[in-house]
Amino acid sequence: MAESIEILIKALGDLRRPPSGLHDLGEALRAVTAAAAATIAGVECADIVLIGKNIFEAHGATSSLSRELGRIQRDAGGPCIDAAGLTSVVYSSDLRSEMRWPQFTEEALMVGVGSVLSFQLHTRTDIAGSLNLLASKPQAFDGAAVALGIALAAQAAAELTAARAELHLRSALASRDTIGQAKGLLMQRCGVDAARAFVMLRMLSQDLNIALARVAEQIVEDHTTSL
């Protein structure tokens, strides 16, 4: 157990840094799966699955196993889906007796997977996710593996949360700039001050039932096109 604690401390020490943000998200998730494969006994493949509206993406796969099994889970369900949306930790210690995901289990056994361990990424964003560990042997993972997996899943969640926050910030700043440009165009065209131009934008948004930022974007696009 002491050795497991030392491994956990080392893994967290290697990854403990400010979340890297959107531009490094893929690299950061790959670092988490690489740490899982290197430090958790029994792991033969690790990946991170992100799920959202029209999104099902696998990141940082440490072997080709996860790509095929990910496709099956997307279509028919499996441990990574359950972990992402339902349960913090999902463990199937022996897929030979697993009844929860028949199609996934059949395919996993065919490619030599004996046990699976998945952890939810607690992101509080519009994207759900899970860290997934595969092993060829049944009963491959113990309590130390669960402790390490929880810690690494928390790091992956922090990276994803930071990336989504950066994306929203960039979007908000872009919208603010576009609204400012649209206000300037209305001030010029209609001979009004900034306050009245903003009221006009808001009224257009309400009348057309379109977001204010989108109305502003359309005004700027129309102006650019007419040049």
Side-chain angles (χ1 to χ4, degrees):
M1 185 65 180
E3 182 180 355
S4 298
I5 292 174
E6 290 180 5
I7 293 172
L8 174 58
I9 292 171
K10 182 181 185 303
L12 290 176
D14 291 342
L15 292 168
R16 188 64 65 197
R17 66 209 188 300
S20 56
L22 183 63
H23 59 288
D24 286 330
L25 178 60
E27 181 181 346
L29 297 183
R30 284 192 295 274
V32 172
T33 57
T39 61
I40 300 178
V43 173
E44 294 173 49
C45 177
D47 74 355
I48 289 171
V49 169
L50 302 182
I51 305 170
K53 185 178 180 180
N54 301 319
I55 295 173
F56 189 98
E57 299 174 349
H59 292 265
T62 61
S63 89
S64 60
L65 270 180
S66 69
R67 283 189 282 275
E68 180 64 17
L69 295 180
R71 180 189 63 77
I72 294 165
Q73 292 190 78
R74 179 193 62 201
D75 296 337
C80 83
I81 304 293
D82 285 3
L86 298 174
T87 308
S88 291
V89 179
V90 176
Y91 183 29
S92 180
S93 61
D94 190 342
L95 286 176
R96 294 172 298 183
S97 58
E98 180 58 66
M99 304 296 291
R100 285 173 287 183
W101 323 285
Q103 188 171 339
F104 166 80
T105 299
E106 180 181 358
E107 297 289 341
L109 288 170
M110 287 178 60
V111 296
V113 177
S115 49
V116 180
L117 182 57
S118 295
F119 303 88
Q120 186 175 112
L121 306 188
H122 296 283
T123 65
R124 297 182 181 179
T125 73
D126 56 337
I127 301 293
S130 59
L131 168 65
N132 309 291
L133 312 177
L134 307 177
S136 60
K137 296 180 180 179
Q139 289 89 39
F141 304 117
D142 57 13
V146 173
L148 280 162
I150 289 172
L152 292 171
Q155 178 64 26
E159 294 287 354
L160 180 57
T161 300
R164 300 301 289 176
E166 183 177 333
L167 179 63
H168 291 153
L169 176 60
R170 289 182 178 183
S171 178
L173 291 174
S175 295
R176 187 180 68 179
D177 289 345
T178 303
I179 290 169
Q181 292 177 51
K183 281 170 55 180
L185 290 171
L186 290 176
M187 291 167 65
Q188 182 180 24
R189 291 179 186 175
C190 304
V192 297
D193 61 14
R196 180 58 185 167
F198 183 75
V199 170
M200 292 171 68
L201 281 174
R202 189 171 60 188
M203 290 176 63
L204 281 169
S205 172
Q206 293 171 349
D207 290 346
L208 298 173
N209 195 27
I210 299 174
L212 180 66
R214 181 64 187 121
V215 171
E217 184 180 326
Q218 188 61 58
I219 290 172
V220 173
E221 287 178 358
D222 290 346
H223 174 72
T224 303
T225 302
S226 65
L227 292 178

